[in-house]
Amino acid sequence: MSDTQSESTEKEPTPPAAKFDLGGRKAPLGESQVWLTAMGLALGVLMTLGLLGLIFVKGLEVFWPHPIAQITLKQDSTATLSDSNILAGPITETRSIKTGDTTREEIQLMVGNRDVYRLSFHFLNAADVVDTTYPEDIVLAERMEYGHAIFYPKFATLADGTTIPANGPGFAETLNRLAGETADRRKVIADVKSDGMGTQNRKILKAERKIRALERRGKATPEKIAALRETIATAETALVPLGAELDALNAKQRAATLTFTLPTGEERTQPFGEFVAFTYPNRLSIFGKVGHFAHKLWEFVSTGPREANTEGGIFPAIFGTFVMTLLMSIAVTPFGVIAAIYLREYAKQGVLVQWVRISVNNLAGVPSIVFGVFGLGFFIYVVGGWVDQIFYPDAVAENRSVFGTGGLLWASLTLALMTLPVLIVATEEALAAVPRGAREAALACGASKWQTIQRIVLPSATPGILTGVILAMARGAGEVAPLMLVGVVKVAEDLPLDSVFPFIHAERKFMHLGFHIYDLGFQSPDSEAAKPMVFATTFLLIVLVIVMNLAAILLRNHLRKKYAVASF
Amino acid sequence: MPDTPAESQRKPIPERFQVAKATLRFDTFMGYAIQVGGVAIIVAVFGILAFILAQVLPLFGKAEVTERRAVPGETAPSPTATSSPAIGLDEWAELPFSFSGGDAVTFTDLKGERGTFTLPVEIPGEAKISTFAYNPAGNRLEIGTSDGRVGSATISYTAEFTDGIRTIVPTIEVGKFHKVGSERTPVEAIGYGASDSKQLYAALVGGKLHVVTLKEKRGLFGKGKVTKDLELDLSDKLTSPPDRLLVAKDGRGIMAISRKAGSIDYLYLNGGEFTLRQTVHPFADREDTKSIARADFLFGDVSLVTSSTSGALRIFSLFRPEGQSDRIFGQTKAFPDLPSGTTFFVPSLRNKAFLTGTGNTVGLYYATTGAVRWSDDLPFETRSAAIDGKFKTIALADTTGTVHLLNLDDHHPEAGAKAFFGKIWYEGANKPEYTWASTGGSGDFEVKLSMMPLIFGSLKGTIYALLFAIPIALLAAIYTSQFLNWKIKRVIKPTMEIMASLPSVVLGFIGALWLAPVLETKVPSVLLLCLGLPSAAALIGWAWNQLPVEKRCKLKPGYEFLVFVPILIFLAYAFWNLGPVLERICFTVPDPLTGKPISDFRVWWPEVTGTPFEQRNSLVVGFVMGFAVIPIIFTIAEDALSNVPPALIAGSSALGASRWQVVRTVVLPIASAGIFSALMIGFGRAVGETMIMVMATGNTPVMEWNIFNGMRTLAANIAVELPEAPKGSTHFRALFLGALLLFLFTFVLNTLAELLRHRLRERYKLV
């Protein structure tokens, strides 16, 4: 468009002539400024790609198995653990520390075994390292508590008392088999706890609340109370065999044990029930590593968190984000479309509507936290308060809140309100883009106003509306600040969807990917241990948001072709 | 259509050309539904503003006081004592008492059927009460006797429940009395203060100031043994003979007030010895009178409320003058004058409010903000007053002994325009300042709710972010819209837009946990990058132009960007690693600990500028927030630049302008309004950004422009504090005020931007 380089050489010189006599050798004026602008763009693009690259690498690296280094330190090193100068663990970081004028290299080692060392990460002075080896038979074990364990296995003691030495053939398979068995049993235990005992406990709780409610209202007749007490008694008797079953299962979990030696020399024995999985990272082939990587990634997205969210997966957070975003889009779409149709098709186009349009547009720029404040003040305290007063007087009397506290419903509605302006603007633009000819043709054929809108205008505006909805969803999925006020929590006991009536529990608190990042990175007691998890979660959230945005762009292009009505 | 062809051929049926009724009805229905729905939705959206406003408005209201009931006094106050009668309230404001120096306290049951009854104050020995002072903080009567002894009596209320009905039972516990001075003359004035293990009585006996300190030895079980520790005569330390005494609650400060002389001597106990630290003349500058009518401690015993006999009302608070180590009293507040000197005073035990007045005039004042919460001329003359612990009831006793109970409806006494936007001299501070400190440890803590540090923080973060973002975004927008090859542009634009969709929590996390530690030691490198990259870019451009045209034309215009990326990466790498060299050359200072020269920017900055260096600082915030702001500015500015009519560009190119000249003289001026609106929208986004600010700033509400420390922004403050703020409290509403400010600010900014863009569009139409 501005291809002026060749033109400048052919230009007629105007006085003062010398200034413009470029003689075909010099470049046009201001080329260095052009290069400066090129730098701006280059910086912008590099920043974006750099950030995405950082998150991708750091996020995926978490799942890649790192070899375990066994490091021998100098005898007089200050970095010894448990009085031993031999340490082992994956090297997670090397960094240079600057104190004054001297810079030294430091190695961060994930030594694990937090129950023994009281720390998971250990910093060593690189100068202290005498020797680094990668022993084949060192094991990295994930545990239910105290993070990872890194050790040399000695022998396994089975439930019947037989021991299997670690140096025997097929010991790795034995470990995995036992870990698998305990994992299966863990599932059974969880089922017994949640389905079996949970159901009974809910019954008891419900009956107790009913008794209290009846007494409070003075309607407690002896028959009613007796019936309720009966229910409680039945539930309590039903709990007894379940408790016994649970004890038996727990005993089985503790029956088989593993004896192992830590790199620092301590010998320990731990029941298999406390282990989750075993790997020999130094033995893994490249395929083994890829398999491990895939397995870990799957585990991350499909299981729940452990140990204050620093271990395990993030399935509840993914699920919470998904359900919340879905509810939000269900809430926002009809309202946004109706408001946009009104503004574009029904309202008298005048100064007032123009102002309303500008204001709605500007609402999209109002900080999200303001909507969060509104959600807390209005939805939770006012509306939630009313709902509780009217439908849950018993809960109010016992100082419990059902809807009067943050929850899924209020979070969805708050975000719906926040994204409403975005959708109204997008829909209006889509409606405005429908050619006048199409409308007029429909009206000329005798269609009524609504018929025109329904059959002609809305279908051709659908791509635009859908794009708006997806963009709104992407914004909603990535937003955290308002959610902090209206019901997102660190750990949600139950998912908002389950098999207990009424299946969708819109009053429950929920977990969210974005809040998970904030919570892990800033509220967790061991932020160093949580860092990999944060990066992994960040990676997932970014992928989700980018996929949604790309989907919006692609869908727009695709549907634009499909519903191309512009050629009248 | 049910018509058969045969029928329709015979004669025209008008119905055939009519629209079906159902269609029409449905059409009308949908018309109404959409109109009603649309209007409702739009109204609801704007209802947000109304709702937030409704939450904020009570903050700016005044106190409302309404008459509840009057209880006639059985006995008129006895005029024996030198002190004015005391009245007090229990926690439930059901059983007020009055005491006027006799041998009994009169209680009036307002709720039950006990009527008026008395409980005796039994002073050991044969003596009358010669003076007393009532301290509402401990519900304690400090008593001086006619035979020169001092002691105190505590009135306590306990609630007893019988059949679910609450009865409040008062008890009076009289403590041990101690002899002051050697003579058996009546005590003229008394003051009492106690800390954990120490008690202090100050008494005026025969014109002399006697002080007794008591030590309590704490036993393992039960009450400790109280023994006399010091006994002093401090009369010679005073500048004028006092007639009233106040002792601070820590038992270390004595205020000896001389009403006639208009002076207050401030004695302070330090190292077992009292010294005269200061003599305050509260009304020395007044023309009419310099004498004091009353002086009393405000709740917390750090501030003195003084009133001159002519009705001036001033507050003196302890503060530490610059360069001094001792805290002295200085005037911090002044209130409008009353008709004459105050005759009664009572502090609130819940906040810094106090009730005072003279004659028929009564006023409720708030010390922190210096506001008159309520003031009225009542039909009776008040002699003494009380405020209950819940700050809901006021009791006023008039000259006939009648106790008037008033409902006090003042939910947010500490709020007000001055509290939010003005400079306030808080207790303990050394000068008036803007402070945000919404929660504090102790009970007499003043809530400090100034919005200014938060507004300042928001602006600071925004400005540093924009300093970084604007150049990059605008340069990129200019290049993309004017120079970049369209094939690359198709890829570049979505890439930049994806940057806009990055959740801010991700940016905040990267900034705080990854970038902040990296940048901490690399400030010189960053400095080099900021200066080096643009100059290198311009230099490369200049050098490129020196090349002969044959070589230059090998690179097609619009592809410079691609050439530039590897150069930029190389340069960035080089500058990054040159940082420590720069640090060694420029930023070497003697280490404050060892004295050896040390080249570390983290040490150099505080040494040279005197301002702190923090890891989570504005530099990190600016950089990370750049990610959030750059794409917004870029997209809007790029649109504005691209929409400049091609005819103008072609025209000026045809006239011989180089491509940069076209941009500078034609494109930029025309698109300037659009670019400006892009900046404003970017500004709006940065001001309201929450998660980045919560995570990467350190969240300290300081007011310094120092780039190497953090800030606390309005948005971050809401996110951090609102979940903990009790519903309906002043703190809660103050946070809503923050939200309202954010709302209005961004809304107005965006509207301005929109109007500008609109004008720009109009301008295009002319071309």
Side-chain angles (χ1 to χ4, degrees):
Chain A
M1 142 174 31
S2 52
D3 191 1
T4 54
Q5 202 160 13
S6 52
E7 290 167 13
S8 59
T9 52
E10 297 160 10
K11 207 168 39 182
E12 277 291 315
T14 45
K19 196 176 174 190
F20 291 91
D21 183 17
L22 303 171
R25 306 289 302 170
K26 276 190 184 161
L29 281 171
E31 277 302 281
S32 58
Q33 280 94 322
V34 175
W35 281 80
L36 195 67
T37 59
M39 182 212 65
L41 183 62
L43 262 183
V45 171
L46 278 182
M47 274 170 62
T48 314
L49 296 181
L51 184 77
L52 291 181
L54 176 82
I55 293 167
F56 272 57
V57 170
K58 288 260 184 185
L60 287 176
E61 195 189 47
V62 177
F63 307 111
W64 190 255
H66 293 279
I68 295 183
Q70 178 165 310
I71 288 175
T72 314
L73 297 172
K74 278 196 291 197
Q75 280 302 336
D76 57 344
S77 170
T78 50
T80 54
L81 274 180
S82 309
D83 294 329
S84 164
N85 62 332
I86 299 174
L87 305 174
I91 295 173
T92 41
E93 204 185 333
T94 42
R95 60 179 189 188
S96 49
I97 293 291
K98 208 176 148 224
T99 40
D101 283 341
T102 52
T103 310
R104 63 189 167 84
E105 289 292 310
E106 231 186 27
I107 297 172
Q108 191 194 36
L109 205 62
M110 195 200 89
V111 290
N113 302 325
R114 202 166 71 225
D115 44 343
V116 181
Y117 303 145
R118 310 265 160 236
L119 47 87
S120 318
F121 289 87
H122 191 54
F123 287 99
L124 322 166
N125 196 339
D128 285 358
V129 176
V130 178
D131 184 31
T132 308
T133 56
Y134 292 90
E136 285 274 296
D137 49 353
I138 199 159
V139 169
L140 177 80
E142 265 182 67
R143 295 184 294 185
M144 294 300 290
E145 280 174 333
Y146 297 114
H148 290 78
I150 293 166
F151 55 76
Y152 298 100
K154 248 180 146 179
F155 55 85
T157 314
L158 299 186
D160 56 4
T162 52
T163 56
I164 304 171
N167 46 15
F171 187 72
E173 286 72 36
T174 314
L175 283 182
N176 284 331
R177 184 172 55 79
L178 288 169
E181 276 173 20
T182 52
D184 291 344
R185 225 174 280 132
R186 211 172 285 130
K187 266 185 204 142
V188 177
I189 290 176
D191 280 353
V192 169
K193 270 187 186 161
S194 71
D195 289 356
M197 302 176 91
T199 316
Q200 302 302 335
N201 280 329
R202 264 197 299 279
K203 270 187 198 163
I204 295 176
L205 189 69
K206 219 171 158 184
E208 280 174 348
R209 278 181 186 165
K210 223 171 203 165
I211 292 176
R212 283 203 296 271
L214 285 173
E215 281 172 351
R216 207 168 26 245
R217 289 185 210 148
K219 287 185 186 165
T221 56
E223 303 90 67
K224 276 187 193 165
I225 298 285
L228 286 167
R229 294 239 183 268
E230 182 69 18
T231 319
I232 295 176
T234 341
E236 273 168 353
T237 34
L239 274 176
V240 176
L242 287 171
E245 195 185 340
L246 200 65
D247 287 343
L249 282 167
N250 279 330
K252 266 191 192 164
Q253 286 291 68
R254 286 190 300 269
T257 59
L258 177 69
T259 306
F260 52 85
T261 325
L262 298 187
T264 44
E266 294 97 332
E267 190 175 299
R268 292 179 73 81
T269 303
Q270 233 182 333
F272 272 96
E274 292 175 11
F275 290 102
V276 178
F278 300 96
T279 34
Y280 286 87
N282 294 356
R283 284 187 196 171
L284 285 177
S285 64
I286 183 74
F287 295 109
K289 283 186 179 177
V290 171
H292 187 264
F293 174 81
H295 175 72
K296 282 276 150 200
L297 190 60
W298 171 246
E299 204 180 77
F300 181 66
V301 296
S302 65
T303 61
R306 299 196 312 267
E307 293 202 46
N309 293 354
T310 55
E311 294 286 335
I314 53 163
F315 176 71
I318 299 176
F319 191 75
T321 312
F322 175 74
V323 175
M324 194 269 302
T325 313
L326 200 71
L327 277 181
M328 178 207 84
S329 44
I330 290 172
V332 75
T333 313
F335 290 121
V337 172
I338 287 176
I341 291 178
Y342 168 72
L343 276 180
R344 181 57 62 182
E345 308 286 336
Y346 283 88
K348 213 169 150 193
Q349 304 297 315
V351 180
L352 183 70
V353 165
Q354 192 57 33
W355 270 100
V356 168
R357 193 167 284 141
I358 289 177
S359 308
V360 167
N361 195 0
N362 293 344
L363 271 181
V366 167
S368 56
I369 188 81
V370 175
F371 290 95
V373 168
F374 175 76
L376 179 76
F378 184 71
F379 288 136
I380 293 180
Y381 287 147
V382 176
V383 183
W386 285 342
V387 171
D388 276 7
Q389 292 280 342
I390 296 165
F391 297 104
Y392 302 93
D394 296 330
V396 174
E398 288 178 17
N399 246 333
R400 281 185 296 124
S401 332
V402 181
F403 280 96
T405 170
L408 183 63
L409 179 68
W410 303 136
S412 309
L413 287 182
T414 304
L415 288 200
L417 204 59
M418 185 187 87
T419 47
L420 191 61
V422 180
L423 191 62
I424 293 180
V425 172
T427 309
E428 260 217 89
E429 269 171 21
L431 291 175
V434 176
R436 205 183 156 80
R439 276 173 232 263
E440 281 168 358
L443 290 170
C445 288
S448 70
K449 187 168 185 177
W450 172 247
Q451 280 174 324
T452 311
I453 293 171
Q454 187 194 358
R455 310 260 168 89
I456 304 295
V457 177
L458 277 184
S460 30
T462 308
I465 298 173
L466 265 179
T467 313
V469 171
I470 296 176
L471 287 179
M473 285 169 82
R475 188 166 172 206
E479 200 60 70
V480 179
L483 294 182
M484 287 165 74
L485 306 179
V486 291
V488 80
V489 285
K490 186 188 170 80
V491 183
E493 302 266 306
D494 304 293
L495 294 178
L497 275 180
D498 62 17
S499 56
V500 179
F501 183 79
F503 312 118
I504 294 183
H505 303 278
E507 82 284 359
R508 278 191 190 163
K509 297 193 186 289
F510 63 103
M511 289 172 75
H512 182 269
L513 281 174
F515 184 72
H516 200 74
I517 295 173
Y518 169 70
D519 177 67
L520 267 184
F522 290 84
Q523 316 279 329
S524 98
D526 188 356
S527 71
E528 202 60 43
K531 229 172 177 175
M533 287 289 285
V534 192
F535 269 114
T537 314
T538 306
F539 166 71
L540 208 72
L541 181 62
I542 291 272
V543 168
L544 191 77
V545 170
I546 289 181
V547 163
M548 275 176 146
N549 276 290
L550 283 181
I553 295 168
L554 292 180
L555 192 80
R556 183 168 48 189
N557 294 344
H558 177 70
L559 288 177
R560 198 173 273 162
K561 278 179 208 144
K562 199 170 164 187
Y563 287 98
V565 284
S567 52
F568 261 91
Chain B
M1 295 278 161
D3 309 34
T4 57
E7 276 175 326
S8 58
Q9 269 172 9
R10 246 176 271 137
K11 52 178 182 181
I13 303 168
E15 288 83 29
R16 220 192 128 194
F17 301 99
Q18 279 178 1
V19 185
K21 282 259 164 57
T23 308
L24 280 179
R25 249 179 260 135
F26 192 63
D27 192 63
T28 325
F29 168 73
M30 283 313 286
Y32 279 122
I34 287 181
Q35 294 205 18
V36 170
V39 171
I41 291 162
I42 290 161
V43 167
V45 166
F46 290 104
I48 296 173
L49 182 63
F51 179 81
I52 296 179
L53 201 64
Q55 294 291 315
V56 168
L57 279 181
L59 287 177
F60 298 94
K62 291 231 151 199
E64 274 183 35
V65 176
T66 46
E67 174 100 36
R68 190 187 297 165
R69 64 187 285 188
V71 188
E74 298 265 307
T75 48
S78 82
T80 52
T82 51
S83 331
S84 53
I87 59 171
L89 283 169
D90 58 307
E91 196 185 326
W92 303 270
E94 287 174 8
L95 196 65
F97 73 83
S98 63
F99 178 69
S100 43
D103 51 7
V105 178
T106 313
F107 292 90
T108 313
D109 191 358
L110 299 180
K111 208 181 162 211
E113 288 155 0
R114 283 177 288 174
T116 303
F117 59 95
T118 57
L119 284 178
V121 183
E122 286 159 354
I123 297 159
E126 305 266 312
K128 290 264 170 218
I129 294 173
S130 63
T131 183
F132 74 93
Y134 170 60
N135 187 346
N139 229 356
R140 196 175 45 229
L141 291 168
E142 292 142 14
I143 296 166
T145 62
S146 53
D147 59 353
R149 287 180 303 154
V150 290
S152 55
T154 315
I155 300 164
S156 49
Y157 292 96
T158 43
E160 286 177 6
F161 289 92
T162 42
D163 301 332
I165 298 163
R166 187 179 58 209
T167 323
I168 295 153
V169 181
T171 43
I172 297 176
E173 194 193 325
V174 180
K176 220 179 143 192
F177 274 70
H178 306 274
K179 182 92 190 69
V180 284
S182 47
E183 292 140 70
R184 293 177 63 90
T185 43
V187 178
E188 291 147 27
I190 181 168
Y192 171 82
S195 64
D196 284 347
S197 57
K198 243 185 197 160
Q199 301 177 35
L200 186 150
Y201 280 101
L204 208 57
V205 186
K208 293 206 174 287
L209 173 61
H210 288 280
V211 167
V212 178
T213 64
L214 307 171
K215 239 190 198 163
E216 190 174 345
K217 272 197 186 154
R218 288 264 159 114
L220 274 176
F221 308 100
K223 279 195 166 177
K225 210 182 152 202
V226 178
T227 50
K228 249 187 205 178
D229 185 30
L230 284 174
E231 213 179 332
L232 299 164
D233 183 351
L234 298 177
S235 310
D236 53 339
K237 307 217 169 181
L238 301 177
T239 54
S240 45
D243 43 25
R244 192 171 143 70
L245 298 172
L246 293 172
V247 178
K249 67 171 181 183
D250 59 355
R252 300 185 76 170
I254 301 173
M255 314 299 300
I257 301 151
S258 171
R259 290 191 195 138
K260 267 220 188 89
S263 69
I264 303 172
D265 288 330
Y266 172 35
L267 297 160
Y268 190 76
L269 174 67
N270 202 357
E273 211 174 311
F274 278 94
T275 44
L276 177 68
R277 187 168 274 184
Q278 188 193 5
T279 304
V280 190
H281 299 274
F283 303 104
D285 57 326
R286 291 280 293 202
E287 299 281 312
D288 45 5
T289 175
K290 304 198 184 331
S291 55
I292 300 171
R294 272 195 84 97
D296 302 86
F297 271 131
L298 207 57
F299 179 52
D301 292 5
V302 181
S303 299
L304 270 179
V305 181
T306 57
S307 157
S308 77
T309 46
S310 60
L313 191 61
R314 291 174 175 179
I315 294 185
F316 284 76
S317 287
L318 279 177
F319 77 108
R320 192 168 281 126
E322 222 164 291
Q324 286 184 36
S325 59
D326 291 340
R327 298 208 299 169
I328 56 165
F329 282 92
Q331 187 186 335
T332 57
K333 313 267 158 55
F335 293 91
D337 284 6
L338 285 125
S340 64
T342 58
T343 53
F344 64 94
F345 172 92
V346 60
S348 158
L349 300 182
R350 206 183 168 80
N351 45 42
K352 299 288 176 188
F354 60 90
L355 194 69
T356 191
T358 172
N360 290 10
T361 311
V362 180
L364 182 70
Y365 301 84
Y366 201 78
T368 306
T369 51
V372 184
R373 300 295 302 166
W374 167 74
S375 171
D376 204 356
D377 283 329
L378 298 174
F380 52 86
E381 189 183 324
T382 308
R383 286 211 46 193
S384 52
I387 304 178
D388 77 330
K390 287 179 181 163
F391 202 57
K392 293 255 178 227
T393 311
I394 293 174
L396 300 173
D398 66 12
T399 39
T400 63
T402 306
V403 176
H404 300 263
L405 285 175
L406 307 170
N407 292 320
L408 171 61
D409 197 13
D410 192 9
H411 298 290
H412 310 290
E414 61 271 60
K418 175 120 198 272
F420 294 128
F421 303 108
K423 263 193 179 177
I424 289 183
W425 195 331
Y426 296 102
E427 278 185 353
N430 299 335
K431 57 179 187 301
E433 54 197 13
Y434 301 114
T435 313
W436 173 273
S438 55
T439 45
S442 61
D444 54 351
F445 171 80
E446 279 182 303
V447 182
K448 305 173 182 72
L449 295 173
S450 177
M451 290 280 143
M452 300 314 268
L454 307 177
I455 295 172
F456 178 89
S458 290
L459 290 180
K460 178 181 171 187
T462 305
I463 282 168
Y464 280 120
L466 289 183
L467 271 183
F468 171 70
I470 288 177
I472 293 182
L474 289 191
L475 291 178
I478 292 171
Y479 188 79
T480 310
S481 65
Q482 303 301 323
F483 307 128
L484 188 62
N485 184 281
W486 66 274
K487 278 183 198 152
I488 311 175
K489 187 173 165 179
R490 258 194 335 197
V491 188
I492 292 293
K493 271 202 82 176
T495 312
M496 292 294 271
E497 274 160 12
I498 279 186
M499 196 160 141
S501 68
L502 288 180
S504 65
V505 66
V506 169
L507 296 174
F509 155 67
I510 296 284
L513 290 189
W514 186 79
L515 192 69
V518 170
L519 284 191
E520 191 188 357
T521 53
K522 291 286 188 186
V523 176
S525 300
V526 175
L527 214 65
L528 263 186
L529 279 176
C530 291
L531 296 174
L533 280 186
S535 22
L539 206 70
I540 290 170
W542 177 81
W544 177 255
N545 285 0
Q546 304 309 306
L547 290 177
V549 71
E550 306 83 59
K551 289 211 174 126
R552 260 188 283 132
C553 69
K554 286 212 174 104
L555 178 69
K556 280 194 204 150
Y559 285 94
E560 297 91 345
F561 158 70
L562 284 184
V563 179
F564 208 77
V565 169
I567 300 178
L568 189 75
I569 293 175
F570 170 75
L571 279 177
Y573 180 79
F575 285 134
W576 186 256
N577 286 311
L578 277 175
V581 179
L582 178 78
E583 192 169 34
R584 215 158 299 140
I585 297 167
C586 300
F587 304 118
T588 303
V589 282
D591 190 335
L593 296 177
T594 58
K596 278 185 205 156
I598 178 172
S599 52
D600 190 337
F601 189 83
R602 288 171 293 173
V603 181
W604 182 86
W605 178 263
E607 278 288 304
V608 172
T609 62
T611 46
F613 181 96
E614 290 168 12
Q615 193 197 48
R616 289 184 188 170
N617 54 39
S618 311
L619 185 71
V620 176
V621 170
F623 187 74
V624 177
M625 203 129 85
F627 282 93
V629 183
I630 286 174
I632 289 174
I633 300 182
F634 171 81
T635 313
I636 301 170
E638 207 271 342
D639 274 351
L641 287 162
S642 294
N643 284 339
V644 172
L648 290 179
I649 296 170
S652 61
S653 297
L655 287 172
S658 75
R659 55 181 181 161
W660 174 252
Q661 284 173 319
V662 173
V663 168
R664 192 173 58 82
T665 54
V666 178
V667 177
L668 281 182
I670 291 180
S672 59
I675 291 173
F676 193 66
S677 90
L679 297 187
M680 293 216 284
I681 289 173
F683 195 91
R685 162 91 202 249
V687 164
E689 183 52 68
T690 312
M691 289 319 285
I692 295 178
M693 291 309 200
V694 169
M695 295 161 98
T697 58
N699 279 325
T700 37
V702 290
M703 288 180 85
E704 284 171 25
W705 282 111
N706 178 9
I707 189 170
F708 294 111
N709 67 4
M711 75 289 269
R712 190 187 191 102
T713 67
L714 277 171
N717 187 54
I718 295 170
V720 171
E721 295 192 0
L722 192 55
E724 257 88 71
K727 179 193 165 193
S729 65
T730 310
H731 183 199
F732 181 84
R733 291 188 197 278
L735 293 172
F736 268 73
L737 176 65
L740 183 71
L741 289 178
L742 272 180
F743 187 110
L744 290 179
F745 186 74
T746 47
F747 196 83
V748 168
L749 209 65
N750 286 353
T751 305
L752 283 178
E754 187 64 36
L755 290 179
L756 260 176
R757 267 206 297 193
H758 196 69
R759 285 234 341 241
L760 186 71
R761 245 177 264 135
E762 296 290 310
R763 211 153 133 188
Y764 289 151
K765 277 187 189 160
L766 297 175
V767 180

